[in-house]
Amino acid sequence: MASTNGSFRSQAQEANSDSPVPKETPTTTTTTTSTATALPAHKSAFLSACLSASVLTFGTYTLKSGRQSPYFFNAGLLHTGSLLESIGTAYAHTILDHIDSNPSSPLQDFDIVFGPAYKGIPLATETLGALRRLDRDKFGGKSYSFNRKEVKGHGEGGVIVGASLSGRKVVIVDDVITAGTALREAVGIIVAEGGKVVGVVVALDRMERMPSEWESGGKRGASIIDDHETERMMRDAPRGSAVGEVRRALGVPVLSVLTLDDLIDFSRDVRSEDDSRRMEEYRAKYLAQD
């Protein structure tokens, strides 16, 4: 893994502008009752659970970058037993499908599922349990670990809870990648503890290019650009996604349970034509060049 100890580029550090913050009430649309059949069963089941629990909503949302998003994925609402089981199963299938179709992948012989504190902790335990249910022989002996936010100075001490990372191959599971801050911290902890990161799995890849300097700057950025054509060129210039940036920086597989393509396919079956059209327009406008 060539660049695990390296830092992400400054552009990735600005990608927190992709984090969705709803500022308007979602528009009400008429739904259909058909089932999303184009997607694998674990994706359809997870998406249906997210929709019913309002983890995934459709409407009009203003992102920190100023972009108007037609959907909102709130991973913070994944807190019920049913949703945890659903997402654990979805993560496990994502890992297993990758391993089955990529015999030379570094994930083939991982030792530990690592969840960065705090959101990654339940994801790690649920994913490991689901992997064991899918293949007891292959995954029954795997372990999980997570970090403490503060070093414990008594008892067993240290910053790691669960299996030791020393000399182990580690796959990180987290909800989403925005600025990459939590992921950089997790990689640093794993390396400091003697482990090796061999892969990353997240819930959603928005597939959109990272915000330009103009978008990230908000009013401050807008105030320094008087030429509207320059503004447009900066906004629309080809750029990669946050997931793609992490993939390039770490040099390991970065998998996602869901992508924007999946959300659009799902919306065609369970949402109105207007919702699907707005999703497709958003993808066309902001699609990353990874």
Side-chain angles (χ1 to χ4, degrees):
M1 185 175 59
S3 56
T4 298
N5 290 299
S7 61
F8 299 117
R9 296 184 307 181
S10 59
Q11 188 181 22
Q13 295 174 3
E14 296 172 353
N16 59 329
S17 300
D18 284 340
S19 181
V21 178
K23 291 188 177 181
E24 299 182 22
T25 302
T27 56
T28 301
T29 55
T30 301
T31 62
T32 66
T33 57
S34 61
T35 303
T37 57
L39 297 174
H42 69 275
K43 290 192 177 189
S44 292
F46 179 49
L47 277 166
S48 295
C50 287
L51 190 64
S52 65
S54 296
V55 174
L56 173 64
T57 54
F58 297 87
T60 301
Y61 302 94
T62 301
L63 309 187
K64 290 181 180 179
S65 62
R67 295 174 182 173
Q68 297 291 308
S69 174
Y71 73 97
F72 182 45
F73 187 85
N74 186 359
L77 296 180
L78 294 167
H79 53 67
T80 69
S82 296
L83 284 171
L84 284 175
E85 181 180 7
S86 179
I87 194 171
T89 300
Y91 271 68
H93 274 288
T94 300
I95 293 171
L96 188 58
D97 289 351
H98 174 82
I99 289 174
D100 288 345
S101 58
N102 295 274
S104 61
S105 171
L107 268 74
Q108 285 289 342
D109 55 352
F110 77 87
D111 303 302
I112 293 173
V113 179
F114 182 89
Y118 292 102
K119 287 183 180 180
I121 296 174
L123 297 179
T125 57
E126 287 292 331
T127 298
L128 184 61
L131 282 168
R132 190 257 183 190
R133 289 191 294 273
L134 290 173
D135 192 330
R136 181 191 302 255
D137 294 335
K138 187 175 183 66
F139 300 110
K142 305 297 185 183
S143 301
Y144 76 85
S145 293
F146 60 87
N147 63 293
R148 295 185 174 96
K149 284 292 189 179
E150 297 178 357
V151 178
K152 187 177 180 181
H154 59 279
E156 74 278 15
V159 71
I160 298 298
V161 178
S164 169
L165 302 178
S166 180
R168 313 297 289 279
K169 297 178 180 179
V170 181
V171 57
I172 300 172
V173 294
D174 210 351
D175 55 352
V176 294
I177 297 174
T178 50
T181 303
L183 189 57
R184 285 196 302 276
E185 292 176 354
V187 171
I189 290 168
I190 292 166
V191 171
E193 293 289 323
K196 178 181 179 181
V197 177
V198 297
V200 178
V201 187
V202 295
L204 176 65
D205 177 3
R206 292 177 61 88
M207 295 177 60
E208 61 186 82
R209 61 179 178 267
M210 293 185 292
S212 65
E213 181 180 349
W214 177 82
E215 289 176 292
S216 300
K219 292 181 179 179
R220 175 181 55 80
S223 68
I224 64 174
I225 302 174
D226 296 324
D227 184 341
H228 292 297
E229 181 62 19
T230 301
E231 171 189 317
R232 184 194 65 78
M233 291 176 63
M234 290 181 65
R235 184 181 63 241
D236 298 338
R239 287 182 300 279
S241 67
V243 168
E245 184 67 24
V246 170
R247 187 178 292 118
R248 288 186 291 273
L250 294 183
V252 300
V254 180
L255 315 177
S256 62
V257 175
L258 301 171
T259 66
L260 178 57
D261 286 343
D262 294 329
L263 300 190
I264 292 174
D265 288 343
F266 184 73
S267 72
R268 292 191 185 109
D269 284 339
V270 302
R271 302 297 296 181
S272 69
E273 290 183 5
D274 183 61
D275 280 335
S276 298
R277 176 186 56 77
R278 293 174 66 241
M279 295 280 285
E280 290 168 355
E281 290 174 350
Y282 188 82
R283 176 176 61 184
K285 186 174 183 179
Y286 294 114
L287 184 65
Q289 303 297 313
D290 285 323

